[in-house]
Every structure is written in structure tokens, then in C-alpha cells.
Amino acid sequence: MLDAKMPEAWRVLRIQSELVDGIERLIALSGAVTVFGSARFAEDTPEYQQALRLGELLATEGIPVITGGGPGLMEACNRGAYPQPGSSIGLNIELPFEQHANPYQDIGLHFRYFFVRKFMFVKHAVGFVGLPGGYGTLDELFEALTLVQTQKVRRFPIVLVGRRYWSGLHDWLVETVLERACIDAADLDLFRIVDSVDEAADIIIEFIRSRE
């Protein structure tokens, strides 16, 4: 019986080590913006170029930029931030496909467990930006919305870039989720949808400056 429980005990220690390492590596970080987006957009797509510009716009202002550390839009955002004053940070995760660490990271952490990584996404963030993405991006978006809605974290801007991409989700929230009283009307104000990364950056930068 004791032998059967030993792997679980070692798993707890691995979780603890990831938490401690992440906290220590990012201990000096404050006022960061976490950016989510798909790993599947290539360099020649408009979405990649937008993510590149977003990283540059934020990091030029000295704002640290956190992504999932992988390819696609994560790479683009890190790449835009990398040569700028703000730190470019990647929180990488071990996956059977898609994920490999991009080379544009001042700080790169590697995680085995999604929930530890998600904790680090939130711990130092004062804003979230959602670029077009799939299940992972949606998971991270709703995690952020839930934390703000339930007041587990202080309210900060959550901005989704690409009205055409995100409008269907917004319509579903209004016409189905709100209609069935599963959320309140005020919950729809927890995020904003904009057309460009310039608008998103302006919202984030204005919020950060208002806190100074």
C-alpha cells in the first residue's frame, strides 16, 4: 500500500519544485502583461505580424511581456518584445506536439503541469491580451475571467484582439449564457474586444500608467 503511494508523493515534490523555481525566477517581475494566442500561425500570416507588433509596443514602454513560450503567436510576441527594454518571458510547457521553446526569451521557464504554469501567468500580470487561438487560449481566457469575476485577483484589463474572430463568442455569451442567467450583464464588461493590437496596447498602457 505504501509503495503504491510513493509515485504520488514524488509528484507533489515535482509540483512544489516548479512553483518554487517559477516564483524565484520571476521574483523581481512586476506589472507584466500576459499574452495568449495560437501556436499554429506562421510567420507570413497577418496574425503573426500583429503579435510581433504587440510585443514591441508593450516592451518599448518597459512593460514585461509573458507568453506561453512556444511557436506561432507566442513566438511573435516574444520576438517583438525581445530587443526592447521590457523583458520577454516564456512559460513553456511539455506537450506531445506543437510546443517547443522559441528563441526570443530573456527568461524561459519550463513546466510539466498546466496549473502551475497558469498560476505563473496570473501572479505578475496587470493585463491580459487574447489573440486568436484554440482550446488553450480559450482555457486561459476563461481562467482570467473567472478569477476577476470571483474577485480572486484584482481587476485588470482583459482585451481580445480581432473583432471578427471573437464576435461569435461574444454573441454566444449574450444570446445563450446571459439569456439563461448563467452570468450577469456586468460580467460582459470584464473584457473588451478591439480591432487592432494598437488599441489593445493603448488600453493596457493607460491602465498601467493610472496605477503609478
Side-chain angles (χ1 to χ4, degrees):
M1 185 64 145
L2 182 61
D3 289 344
K5 292 183 178 180
M6 285 304 294
E8 295 299 319
W10 283 111
R11 184 173 291 116
V12 171
L13 291 176
R14 286 198 300 266
I15 292 167
Q16 184 181 46
S17 70
E18 285 196 357
L19 280 168
V20 171
D21 182 58
I23 290 169
E24 286 189 346
R25 294 282 302 280
L26 301 181
I27 196 166
L29 195 65
S30 64
V33 174
T34 297
V35 180
F36 303 127
S38 175
R40 303 189 185 194
F41 286 99
E43 187 174 351
D44 60 354
T45 60
E47 290 82 1
Y48 188 102
Q49 297 305 314
Q50 290 176 347
L52 187 72
R53 177 165 174 77
L54 177 63
E56 181 180 2
L57 287 169
L58 294 172
T60 296
E61 296 291 326
I63 300 169
V65 174
I66 301 173
T67 80
L73 302 188
M74 295 175 280
E75 174 188 291
C77 198
N78 284 132
R79 184 177 176 180
Y82 191 58
Q84 308 304 327
S87 298
S88 176
I89 299 148
L91 307 185
N92 305 274
I93 185 80
E94 296 177 16
L95 294 177
F97 55 89
E98 286 186 2
Q99 186 77 8
H100 58 268
N102 71 68
Y104 306 104
Q105 302 174 31
D106 297 308
I107 302 174
L109 280 67
H110 294 267
F111 296 92
R112 182 186 181 102
Y113 300 101
F114 268 112
F115 66 91
V116 179
R117 181 181 183 236
K118 288 165 76 174
F119 170 77
M120 299 309 301
F121 276 141
V122 175
K123 180 172 174 56
H124 300 285
V126 295
F128 278 38
V129 179
L131 301 171
Y135 284 163
T137 299
L138 292 171
D139 175 47
E140 290 149 354
L141 166 62
F142 281 105
E143 175 87 9
L145 288 170
T146 300
L147 290 171
V148 173
Q149 181 202 45
T150 56
Q151 300 181 24
K152 294 299 182 181
V153 298
R154 189 176 300 176
R155 185 166 179 174
F156 50 67
I158 300 173
V159 188
L160 305 180
V161 179
R163 199 171 300 277
R164 183 176 179 184
Y165 190 87
W166 294 106
S167 61
L169 174 63
H170 178 267
D171 292 345
W172 174 73
L173 289 171
V174 172
E175 297 168 6
T176 301
V177 184
L178 178 61
E179 178 68 22
R180 298 297 301 274
C182 292
I183 60 173
D184 296 327
D187 293 330
L188 295 170
D189 296 330
L190 298 180
F191 67 94
R192 291 179 61 177
I193 300 176
V194 298
D195 288 315
S196 71
V197 294
D198 294 74
E199 293 175 84
D202 286 344
I203 292 168
I204 297 292
I205 292 167
E206 182 180 352
F207 175 77
I208 290 173
R209 287 176 177 168
S210 73
R211 299 170 73 247
E212 294 175 350

